[in-house]
Structures are given as structure tokens and as C-alpha cells.
Amino acid sequence: MKALIVEDEPMALRNLKRILEENFPDIEVTGSTSSVHDTVEWLSQNICEIIFMDVELQDGTCFDIFRKTDVRAKVVMTTAYDSYALKAFEVNSIDYILKPVELPALQRAVDRCRQAAGNTDVTRLLAALSQGTMPAKQYKERFLVRLNDRIVPVDVSAAACFYSENKATYLMVKEGKRYVLNPSLDEVEAELDPDRFFRISRSCIIAKECVQSVVKLSGGRLKVMCSPGAPADAEVSRARVDDFLAWLEK
């Protein structure tokens, strides 16, 4: 079976791929996405038989995917929630796995997909989910940073930006100090509120409240003029310009 993994947490993605590769030789992971937008685009150009789908994504919930495109596959939810939503999944013959994903639960879900006739009934799923409200995703409120021989908590509200340099990840606060972080920039991004922070390039995530103005550069790129504490040479990569401007306007 060809499979797609929809997951915005890099560690969770790696764990699920590893378990699948080691235990399910008949399942081929042909793609992975981390947002509603990317998933809709992937499904418009590719076909798969099973989708392992996280509930909370970078730019919305997986249910937005169902509303924006015709999902023709068996769907297995991977989620941290054990609320009413899981009962809705069962009612609609959709299996689910509570995170962190472990082999017994994954085996059960795959077996149910093999036995099920047809694809996920998306209409019934959305109708069931409309009877309740998904719990809001909890974003990171503080990071633990290394400061010589100490570990110090730094509130996310104090952050001007996060960036990577020479294979290290840094948090820079509004006063201009910077701290080393253990997580990768991908892992940091998955923990941040997307209404407050935006990844303007592969190496930089910036806080909205630090953006003072934007200057157009050649080649369709943008230069972000920031308040003190944010990087002076912050540029928005060409592929992210439209999304950045939409985010800034919210």
C-alpha cells in the first residue's frame, strides 16, 4: 500500500516512518506533508491508499483538508486527544492512534485498513465532528536554554526570533541576547503559535511584533526591517513571500 504521512512534528514523523519501515514491508511511504496547504497540493498530484494524519497542523486542522479536497484513501488519525473526536473516528470506521505512536496501536490501525471496504466516509466524519469542538492546540510558552553551566527558562513572549547557524539553533530575545537551544529549528517551529511566529526562510523564524516594515528586493524577495533584537539581515525567501504577507496582515 502506498502511504502519505501528514505530520508537522519532525520527531513524530521520523518515529512513524521508522516503525512503518521496520514492521510493514508492504507499506511504502511515498510522501510526507506538514500543513493543510501542502497536503491538498500533494493529493492533487498523487494517489495513495492510506493516510496517517495528525489532527493539528501548521496552518489549521486536518479537517480543513477534507473540506478543501476529495480524500480518496483510508485515513488513520494520529493525535494526542482522547476526547469526543476519537469516538467520532470510530463511528465512521476511521482508526486512530494516540501519540506517541507505538507498534501495537499501529498494527491494529493497519489491520483495520486492510480489512475495511472502500475509503473513509468524509461526509459522515465532518457531520459527527460538527457536534463538538476540538480542543485548542497548546503552544510552547517557554524554552529551556543553556547558559554556561545553568539551564534557564525563557518565555516565548520575549523572543524576537529563532534561527539556525553552523548547525546550532538559537533563540534571540528582544534585548538582543541570544541563547542556544537543543531542538532543531524544525522542532521549534512545530511548537510555536503560527499567528505570532513565521518561518521566513530555512534558517529563521521571526516574531510578528518585531516586524516594523518590509522592503522589496530584486528577484521577488523581501527584506524585513525589525525592531532591536531581531536579525538585521532577515530576508523572506521567494517561495514564502505570499504566505508571509498574508500572515503579516492578520
Side-chain angles (χ1 to χ4, degrees):
M1 290 190 291
K2 292 184 177 180
L4 167 68
I5 299 178
V6 182
E7 173 61 70
D8 68 348
E9 298 179 24
M11 290 182 66
L13 172 61
R14 290 195 295 268
N15 181 57
L16 179 53
K17 288 182 71 174
R18 178 185 58 79
I19 297 176
L20 287 171
E21 291 170 355
E22 292 178 355
N23 299 277
F24 302 91
D26 62 324
I27 295 180
E28 178 190 3
V29 178
T30 58
S32 63
T33 58
S34 59
S35 67
V36 173
H37 176 272
D38 290 348
T39 304
V40 171
E41 185 174 338
W42 192 95
L43 290 172
S44 71
Q45 302 174 22
N46 301 274
I47 296 175
C48 62
E49 297 160 278
I50 182 171
I51 304 175
F52 298 95
M53 187 176 287
D54 188 15
V55 174
E56 294 282 352
L57 301 172
Q58 292 177 355
D59 55 350
T61 70
C62 65
F63 310 118
D64 296 322
I65 297 170
F66 298 137
R67 297 185 180 100
K68 293 184 177 183
T69 191
D70 187 13
V71 178
R72 296 183 177 274
K74 296 177 176 66
V75 177
V76 175
M77 299 290 178
T78 59
T79 175
Y81 304 128
D82 57 355
S83 61
Y84 82 94
L86 301 183
K87 296 179 181 179
F89 300 158
E90 288 188 313
V91 166
N92 291 279
S93 299
I94 300 173
D95 208 346
Y96 65 89
I97 305 173
L98 286 175
K99 292 182 178 179
V101 175
E102 296 181 348
L103 179 57
L106 187 58
Q107 182 70 64
R108 179 201 67 198
V110 171
D111 288 344
R112 289 183 64 174
C113 286
R114 287 172 176 151
Q115 297 166 10
N119 298 320
T120 295
D121 188 338
V122 174
T123 301
R124 291 184 61 205
L125 168 65
L126 293 177
L129 291 172
S130 67
Q131 299 173 9
T133 303
M134 286 297 297
K137 180 173 181 177
Q138 299 298 308
Y139 296 107
K140 198 88 166 178
E141 294 183 1
R142 61 189 56 85
F143 285 91
L144 298 181
V145 303
R146 301 197 303 262
L147 191 60
N148 298 323
D149 59 346
R150 293 182 296 153
I151 297 176
V152 179
V154 176
D155 287 348
V156 168
S157 60
C161 71
F162 301 83
Y163 66 96
S164 58
E165 184 179 87
N166 298 325
K167 298 184 179 181
T169 305
Y170 297 94
L171 183 166
M172 182 177 286
V173 296
K174 294 167 186 174
E175 292 78 16
K177 293 182 180 179
R178 75 173 190 173
Y179 303 94
V180 177
L181 294 179
N182 283 325
S184 69
L185 200 62
D186 287 341
E187 291 165 340
V188 169
E189 181 183 21
E191 297 282 358
L192 296 174
D193 183 348
D195 287 336
R196 297 171 57 196
F197 294 90
F198 188 88
R199 189 165 185 171
I200 60 174
S201 65
R202 282 183 173 273
S203 61
C204 185
I205 300 170
I206 197 163
K208 180 181 289 185
E209 62 186 62
C210 289
V211 178
Q212 294 184 330
S213 62
V214 179
V215 177
K216 289 185 178 180
L217 301 176
S218 60
R221 295 171 298 122
L222 299 177
K223 182 179 178 62
V224 183
M225 310 304 292
C226 305
S227 58
D233 59 347
E235 292 186 5
V236 183
S237 62
R238 188 165 43 210
R240 301 170 194 253
V241 165
D242 290 342
D243 290 339
F244 171 74
L245 293 176
W247 168 78
L248 198 58
E249 197 174 28
K250 289 181 181 178

